[in-house]
Amino acid sequence: MVTAIPYWVYIAAAAALAAAAAAVVTAVLIRREKRRVRHGIGNADMVPPLPMSNIIKDKIRKPFCSTGCARGRRSVRRDRCTLVLTEVVSGREYRAKLGRRVTIGRKRSCGIRIKDSCLAPCHCTLSRLRGRLFLDDNDTLNGTIVNGILIKGKTPVFTDDLVLIGSREYKIEVVA
């Protein structure tokens, strides 16, 4: 005599089979991701960098030394340090002696004078405090952008940082 199998048994077996298949797939995906992270192929927690004028920054941010010069040269005197702003597109350089403060703008009295109609007369100020260099926007209409981020207040800047002032982008360097 053949007995009929209730339908709920089929449903329970199908649910158990689906759960087992999901567990196997999840385990395989986790193992694959661990292998990728271990071999440096990818990272699940990786955040993509901000775009900066189609230039990928692959250099480490180097701080200025206590005298305000790059590369940690402590023997260099303060009055010999020069701030260099290099325009990214044309390569034009603007130089100024690095004192306590250097102003950037289109006014004649600014330390670095840039002829650009998008600049304020006194657009921003670079100041040195305790061996570090800080950039401060002077409440301008267009603002000042450091590495793709609009700055508010004093913001530390490092060697090879990209700064958007007005309509042009510049690279900051301190030369002994």
Side-chain angles (χ1 to χ4, degrees), residues 28-117:
V28 168
L29 291 176
I30 289 172
R31 189 177 324 129
R32 185 178 295 166
E33 186 62 28
K34 283 182 181 178
R35 187 179 309 136
R36 287 172 44 112
V37 171
R38 186 174 39 229
H39 294 295
I41 298 170
N43 188 353
D45 299 329
M46 189 176 80
V47 177
L50 291 172
M52 294 179 287
S53 73
N54 299 329
I55 296 174
I56 299 173
K57 273 187 72 168
D58 56 352
K59 301 199 176 199
I60 298 172
R61 300 179 91 189
K62 296 175 245 171
F64 297 96
C65 73
S66 62
T67 61
C69 300
R71 298 180 193 88
R73 296 182 191 158
R74 294 187 185 271
S75 61
V76 179
R77 291 180 19 197
R78 288 184 184 182
D79 58 346
R80 292 189 183 172
C81 293
T82 304
L83 173 71
V84 179
L85 281 180
T86 307
E87 191 175 338
V88 174
V89 176
S90 69
R92 182 172 179 191
E93 291 184 351
Y94 297 91
R95 294 176 176 259
K97 284 192 175 182
L98 187 60
R100 283 251 181 243
R101 292 174 31 149
V102 176
T103 55
I104 300 170
R106 64 172 197 250
K107 248 175 129 173
R108 286 185 184 260
S109 61
C110 290
I112 295 178
R113 184 175 181 219
I114 302 172
K115 294 180 181 178
D116 186 0
S117 61

